[in-house]
Amino acid sequence: MTKIILATDGSAQADDAIAFLKRLPIPQPVHVDIVTNVFFPLNNGDLTDPLLRDFRDHQEAEANRYLARSESALSDFATTVNRKMLHGDIGHSIVEFAEQHASDFIVMGATGHSGIGRMLLGSVSDYVATHAPCNVIVARQPLHQCSQDDPMKITIGYNDCEGSKEAIDEFTQLDWTTTAAISLLGVVPVFQGFSPDLMPNIVQYRSEQRIAAMRYLKAGRERLVSEHSQLSSDQISCDVVETDHVGNAIIERLEEEKTDLVVIGDSHRSRISRMLLGSVSRFVLQHAHCSMWIARDKNAVKV
């Protein structure tokens, strides 16, 4: 069974996350834990105070309303659904829940707010994307018009690192069909300010980097096709771009291609010291106008 956490605060952005989740060809059966965070002041405070009791009751009633609405929206998608109110630090509570329940995915909106306390803010999605032990999908409504039935346009950032291979492995766990349009994207950094005497060597170096990048992309395409029988080489393009700003180049390509989902593999991190996302991944997470999947194998051994 595929186990998914849907983090919601009842906002429009959280509803967008539900709509995007339902577009994904998640293997059935699917269990969804719908979680929200209910804020109690003063670490639960003195609940004998009638004002605090009223505050708590209002928060819980509001949360129950949008949890129920989310459950109803998932009725034709999930096999089983569970609702859960979390407490404490928002990002930490979501990550801790994922660890305790061995979840496969966390799906959340990029921004949002609840009636009294804000929840799925950029800082929270950033924290969850960085620290979660599993795949994280930060959903955004794309700038271009699309419907639930439109073929999904997907860009996968790919190079020779283990994180990219892990991203392919996680991506192929879903039931993609031949209607999906997939682009493997490699980026070759361009370094400026070299002496004219070094230019011949730099030109040769860049040529070698382009060739190597395309070789990695073709290997990635072969990996996709070999691990997913329904995908064909014809629906997977390989593109290399050269740029002096990797993050901007990726964002521009996503907008040009009207991408619905960008997939980037996570670097391996220890359980003791969880490092930040790479600078490029973080830039894309913060600036992309499409949904982003940070691919991470929950069963990978962290050393």
Side-chain angles (χ1 to χ4, degrees), residues 19-291:
F20 186 80
L21 172 60
K22 294 173 70 173
R23 291 187 68 191
L24 295 173
I26 305 288
Q28 296 289 336
V30 172
H31 173 77
V32 179
D33 288 300
I34 309 172
V35 304
T36 193
N37 190 287
V38 177
F39 171 71
F40 290 157
L42 304 178
N43 194 25
N44 288 346
D46 180 4
L47 294 183
T48 61
D49 185 325
L51 290 178
L52 287 180
R53 285 202 309 271
D54 288 346
F55 180 87
R56 179 198 61 185
D57 293 345
H58 174 78
Q59 287 283 80
E60 290 184 345
E62 183 182 11
N64 276 318
R65 281 195 294 274
Y66 57 71
L67 286 172
R69 188 177 76 241
S70 298
E71 182 176 2
S72 177
L74 290 168
S75 62
D76 59 348
F77 172 80
T79 308
T80 56
V81 175
N82 177 57
R83 292 189 256 165
K84 180 69 175 179
M85 291 188 196
L86 307 177
H87 306 286
D89 179 82
I90 298 170
H92 178 76
S93 67
I94 295 171
V95 170
E96 186 177 52
F97 189 90
E99 292 174 336
Q100 293 172 347
H101 294 79
S103 303
D104 299 295
F105 287 89
I106 299 173
V107 180
M108 59 194 306
T111 60
H113 64 278
S114 59
I116 298 176
R118 295 185 298 172
M119 173 160 168
L120 299 182
L121 295 172
S123 60
V124 174
S125 56
D126 183 87
Y127 179 91
V128 173
T130 302
H131 293 85
C134 59
N135 294 290
V136 176
I137 294 178
V138 179
R140 286 185 177 90
Q141 186 70 26
L143 295 178
H144 60 277
Q145 295 295 320
C146 62
S147 71
Q148 292 290 104
D149 299 325
D150 288 340
M152 190 170 290
K153 296 181 179 179
I154 304 155
T155 297
I156 303 175
Y158 196 83
N159 55 27
D160 63 333
C161 73
E162 285 302 313
S164 289
K165 297 173 184 176
E166 190 173 286
I168 292 292
D169 295 340
E170 291 299 302
F171 182 81
T172 55
Q173 298 302 308
L174 274 62
D175 295 329
W176 301 106
T177 68
T178 53
T179 59
I182 303 169
S183 173
L184 290 177
L185 179 63
V187 181
V188 175
V190 175
F191 303 103
Q192 305 290 346
F194 287 100
S195 166
D197 295 339
L198 296 176
M199 286 309 298
N201 293 332
I202 297 302
V203 171
Q204 180 180 352
Y205 173 79
R206 288 172 56 180
S207 176
E208 292 171 352
Q209 291 297 299
R210 286 195 302 271
I211 293 171
M214 183 56 71
R215 183 170 65 249
Y216 299 142
L217 294 180
K218 290 180 178 179
R221 180 166 60 188
E222 292 177 4
R223 192 180 186 97
L224 273 171
V225 173
S226 65
E227 295 191 16
H228 201 301
S229 59
Q230 292 186 331
L231 295 177
S232 67
S233 297
D234 294 340
Q235 71 187 105
I236 305 169
S237 64
C238 296
D239 298 296
V240 176
V241 297
E242 294 181 273
T243 179
D244 58 355
H245 194 297
V246 176
N248 276 336
I250 294 175
I251 297 300
E252 291 172 2
R253 179 55 63 96
L254 298 179
E255 293 177 358
E256 289 171 2
E257 300 294 328
K258 295 184 178 180
T259 299
D260 298 301
L261 174 66
V262 57
V263 184
I264 295 181
D266 182 31
S267 58
H268 292 280
R269 306 153 298 146
S270 70
R271 292 193 182 275
I272 297 174
S273 177
R274 289 182 169 173
M275 299 166 59
L276 295 176
L277 285 175
S279 58
V280 173
S281 299
R282 181 180 294 277
F283 185 91
V284 175
L285 178 61
Q286 293 175 346
H287 294 90
H289 294 290
C290 64
S291 299

